[in-house]
Amino acid sequence: MELKSVCVFCGSRMGARPEYVEGARALGAEIARRGLTLVYGGTIVGLMGAMADAALAQGGKVVGVLPHVLSDREIAHKGLTELHLVDSMHTRKAMMAQLSGAFIAMPGGVGTFEELFEITTWAQLGIHHKPIGLLNVADFYGPLLALMGRAVDEGFIPEARAQPFACEASPAALLDQLQRAGQPLTPEKPVLRPDQT
């Protein structure tokens, strides 16, 4: 299926390195240049706002999804193509997933990690079959990839699922991978005990 929209999870802060803001702007601009719709959390602050502004500056379509409870704290972006104000974080994530054909996680905090792992879990359970990528700016996600390897070594993740994400430092390279991807994950079959067979 042709990729038409990309959901990006990223920080509501700028982070400590200028590379993070540069990466957010480059990603937003690249999404717009490819004629893809950017779907994100709907705020004007942090990496989220920098990315949205860069996409809009390239004439791109940008759709934000923001819970009412955060519309004052995170400051809704008033210049978006569409802004959906929803009742809860759960509704926000579900709508972002519904509107998107692929997912990218940029550097961010706990909220970004939670969104990334939830969408990855949904893929492993077969709830969706959309590709997921990490924009690995300044090797931000190196420790996460090491943790995934540790979980494989310790028997908590099957070897076949050690790399559920595409991972690139360049927005163009990452989007190339996501646009080529078919169905990167299939539902995991439960491991049966001998008395269950």
Side-chain angles (χ1 to χ4, degrees):
M1 183 180 296
E2 181 186 0
L3 183 62
K4 297 180 180 178
S5 57
V6 179
C7 177
V8 180
F9 308 127
C10 62
S12 59
R13 296 184 179 196
M14 291 293 194
R17 297 172 181 254
E19 294 97 319
Y20 298 146
V21 181
E22 292 164 9
R25 290 176 178 147
L27 179 60
E30 185 67 23
I31 288 171
R33 275 195 293 268
R34 293 177 185 231
L36 303 171
T37 297
L38 169 62
V39 179
Y40 84 115
T43 79
I44 199 167
V45 297
L47 298 185
M48 299 167 77
M51 175 184 61
D53 285 342
L56 291 166
Q58 290 289 325
K61 181 177 179 182
V62 183
V63 177
V65 184
L66 183 66
H68 288 287
V69 70
L70 295 182
S71 60
D72 292 329
R73 183 188 314 172
E74 292 193 352
I75 310 173
H77 196 307
K78 303 297 187 186
L80 303 180
T81 312
E82 297 175 22
L83 177 63
H84 300 274
L85 293 176
V86 296
D87 293 333
S88 70
M89 292 293 286
H90 296 294
T91 305
R92 178 197 217 179
K93 290 182 289 185
M95 179 176 283
M96 289 167 74
Q98 182 180 16
L99 292 172
S100 304
F103 306 92
I104 293 174
M106 278 204 61
V110 172
T112 300
F113 304 153
E114 187 268 339
E115 290 167 326
L116 170 63
F117 276 106
E118 182 164 32
I119 210 68
T120 303
T121 301
W122 290 1
Q124 289 187 346
L125 295 174
I127 295 171
H128 74 83
H129 300 285
K130 301 172 183 179
I132 303 166
L134 302 177
L135 187 59
N136 197 22
V137 178
D139 198 35
F140 181 84
Y141 281 111
L144 171 62
L145 298 174
L147 178 62
M148 297 289 287
R150 174 71 185 275
V152 171
D153 292 343
E154 297 297 327
F156 292 105
I157 297 177
E159 186 75 40
R161 298 186 183 279
Q163 281 281 11
F165 325 108
C167 183
E168 296 285 350
S170 155
L174 182 58
L175 286 165
D176 285 346
Q177 279 204 52
L178 297 182
Q179 289 186 298
R180 285 194 304 264
Q183 297 183 356
L185 296 172
T186 54
E188 186 172 342
K189 295 180 180 178
V191 177
L192 299 179
R193 299 191 309 269
D195 63 329
Q196 294 178 308
T197 57

